[in-house]
Amino acid sequence: MAIAADIARAMEDSSWIRRMFELGIQLRQERGPENVFDLSLGNPITEPPPQFFDELRAYAAQDAAGVHRYMPNAGYVETRQAVADALSDETGLHYGADHIVMTVGAAAALNVVIHSLCDRDDEVVILTPFFAEYLFYATSHAAKPVVVGCDGNFTPDLDELASKLSARTKIVIVNSPNNPSGAMYPASFIEALAQLLRDKSAEFGTEIFLVSDEPYRKILFDEHSYPFPQQSYERTITVTSHAKDIALPGDRIGYLAVHPDYAASEHGAQLMDALIFCNRVLGFVNAPAIMQHLVRNLQTVTIDTTDYQQKRDYLYDVLTTAGYEVRKPEGAFYMFPRSPVADEMQLVAALQRQGVLVVPGRGFGMEGYFRISYCVEQSELEGAAPGFAAAIQELTG
């Protein structure tokens, strides 16, 4: 075999969403696109807000010299300062440009953080249900992923987490609002998590970092407000992107931000230097120049989330009326219902027979559930609605 054995195993383990995508192509060819409803991919159809296009046109018109050259690996100072100012306003903390590294989306930011912090066999804690790529980000940098379960509301089990933290734990990743569940961790959980990490860091004589993956933090419903982890825990590193809040997934622009109090501590300057160094040597070098210029003035801009909330409410009513057990999400654009039968693969197959594509929960670390992505046209959800009812009827009578 030409490719590395570890990569071959990882490709097989990570293939659920890819399989659904390929199956969707096949089913459209066989049945016609009007009879297939693909709710498997988290690829939003929402267009960027008008302010983005205003910035794009203004940038293209100025024809300035030097704007396509290399910049500092951390990114343009002006862009980092704009990010810092917005974060300071949101959190009440005093971020500065030197606390920010512009990155090639949140995925690059996560890889940079793990590479910067983890020696071989250090542990990265991943909270269920999780974005599957977390496992591969950890192992790609020779770290060991440690998975922790959750309760029925998708809130991580703090007792289990406490039992699994060790002297090798370097990172705990939180993703809220969560992919795949859409659940937002309450402030009480964040505060309890922060205290646990403080206690365990003191017990082990180590530094455990909380890495907060926040691409959905501005996609909230029902007037919820986001509980920022850095307000509770000094060793917080924020990673995020503008893929969802400004609808720019293909443009790969995001950032990481180190808590300003930690950045000012004894080890803070060394951490910032490591993050910038790893951004370079991992091959990202720097975030795309044009996108850094464009998002500089868009830090307070967000897509209109009304459409997502309406789709959430519609889909929730469809599922609960059909008899599914599902927690109503506070944010993001995913729903994670419980399968009506223990093996969710049976439900996934029954939905496929109805032309509806979803992703099995085992792809997110939780068998017995399945993920629906509703960042699609309303017509897709309406077309899928009879299939959800038919599939549960087929399996449960």
Side-chain angles (χ1 to χ4, degrees):
M1 180 171 59
I3 67 171
D6 285 346
I7 295 301
R9 284 191 292 271
M11 288 168 61
E12 180 65 23
D13 292 342
S14 69
S15 62
W16 286 114
I17 295 176
R18 176 172 55 83
R19 289 176 191 173
M20 294 301 110
F21 176 74
E22 293 173 353
L23 179 61
I25 294 174
Q26 176 185 333
L27 291 181
R28 288 187 186 94
Q29 292 173 343
E30 294 173 356
R31 306 181 189 180
E34 71 279 4
N35 298 312
V36 178
F37 311 101
D38 189 348
L39 310 181
S40 65
L41 296 178
N43 189 16
I45 62 164
T46 301
E47 293 299 325
Q51 296 94 321
F52 170 79
F53 295 102
D54 292 341
E55 291 291 328
L56 181 61
R57 283 187 286 267
Y59 178 82
Q62 67 180 349
D63 197 23
V67 295
H68 302 290
R69 299 172 188 165
Y70 287 126
M71 79 291 294
N73 295 125
Y76 291 113
V77 173
E78 299 88 347
T79 302
R80 289 185 282 136
Q81 187 61 57
V83 169
D85 290 344
L87 265 181
S88 297
D89 289 343
E90 289 182 273
T91 65
L93 301 171
H94 300 296
Y95 283 92
D98 290 344
H99 308 141
I100 310 296
V101 178
M102 301 305 298
T103 62
V104 186
L110 282 161
N111 278 274
V112 165
V113 171
I114 295 170
H115 201 63
S116 299
L117 291 176
C118 292
D119 287 314
R120 180 172 294 276
D121 294 327
D122 279 344
E123 295 171 351
V124 175
V125 175
I126 298 169
L127 307 176
T128 308
F130 51 77
F131 178 54
E133 305 289 86
Y134 291 161
L135 300 172
F136 310 115
Y137 296 163
T139 56
S140 291
H141 302 288
K144 177 184 176 183
V146 176
V147 175
V148 171
C150 64
D151 65 18
N153 286 319
F154 307 121
T155 302
D157 186 329
L158 281 173
D159 291 334
E160 182 182 345
L161 174 59
S163 72
K164 289 185 174 179
L165 294 174
S166 77
R168 297 307 301 264
T169 304
K170 281 291 185 73
I171 292 170
V172 175
I173 300 177
V174 293
N175 171 221
S176 173
N178 176 257
N179 175 11
S181 69
M184 185 173 68
Y185 299 153
S188 58
F189 168 79
I190 296 296
E191 291 165 3
L193 173 61
Q195 187 58 53
L196 174 61
L197 298 185
R198 279 192 291 270
D199 292 344
K200 289 296 184 177
S201 293
E203 177 184 339
F204 300 135
T206 60
E207 293 185 292
I208 302 175
F209 286 86
L210 184 62
V211 176
S212 182
D213 183 18
E214 302 177 359
Y216 304 100
R217 79 163 187 255
K218 295 184 180 181
I219 302 179
L220 302 178
F221 310 135
D222 305 321
E223 299 184 353
H224 283 290
S225 58
Y226 183 72
F228 285 90
Q230 57 266 57
Q231 293 175 332
S232 299
Y233 190 62
E234 182 180 288
R235 296 190 185 100
T236 296
I237 302 174
T238 300
V239 300
T240 192
S241 79
H242 292 304
K244 312 305 191 298
D245 61 358
I246 315 182
L248 302 174
D251 292 301
R252 311 309 305 146
I253 182 68
Y255 63 83
L256 64 85
V258 175
H259 193 298
D261 292 344
Y262 187 84
S265 71
E266 177 185 1
H267 299 142
Q270 185 181 39
L271 173 59
M272 292 306 306
D273 287 345
L275 294 167
I276 295 167
F277 172 79
C278 290
N279 198 41
R280 184 175 83 245
V281 301
L282 287 175
F284 304 115
V285 184
N286 54 249
I290 292 177
M291 294 311 301
Q292 288 193 56
H293 288 295
L294 297 185
V295 302
R296 183 180 304 155
N297 296 323
L298 300 176
Q299 291 304 304
T300 60
V301 173
T302 307
I303 59 166
D304 183 0
T305 61
T306 303
D307 181 59
Y308 284 144
Q309 181 165 330
Q310 291 173 346
K311 288 174 179 175
R312 178 207 61 171
D313 293 344
Y314 172 81
L315 182 61
Y316 181 80
D317 288 345
V318 165
L319 293 171
T320 53
T321 299
Y324 291 90
E325 178 184 340
V326 58
R327 183 186 187 280
K328 198 171 191 177
E330 289 90 0
F333 41 64
Y334 305 107
M335 211 167 281
F336 203 51
R338 183 187 292 275
S339 169
V341 292
D343 182 358
E344 85 273 20
M345 295 305 297
Q346 295 181 35
L347 185 276
V348 170
L351 286 171
Q352 287 173 11
R353 289 191 285 274
Q354 299 297 325
V356 179
L357 301 180
V358 299
V359 184
R362 62 193 63 195
F364 306 95
M366 286 189 70
E367 295 184 6
Y369 290 80
F370 62 101
R371 191 191 77 171
I372 303 169
S373 174
Y374 53 89
C375 57
V376 297
E377 297 287 358
Q378 178 68 21
S379 59
E380 288 284 295
L381 298 179
E382 293 173 359
F388 283 115
I392 196 171
Q393 180 66 26
E394 174 188 334
L395 294 177
T396 65

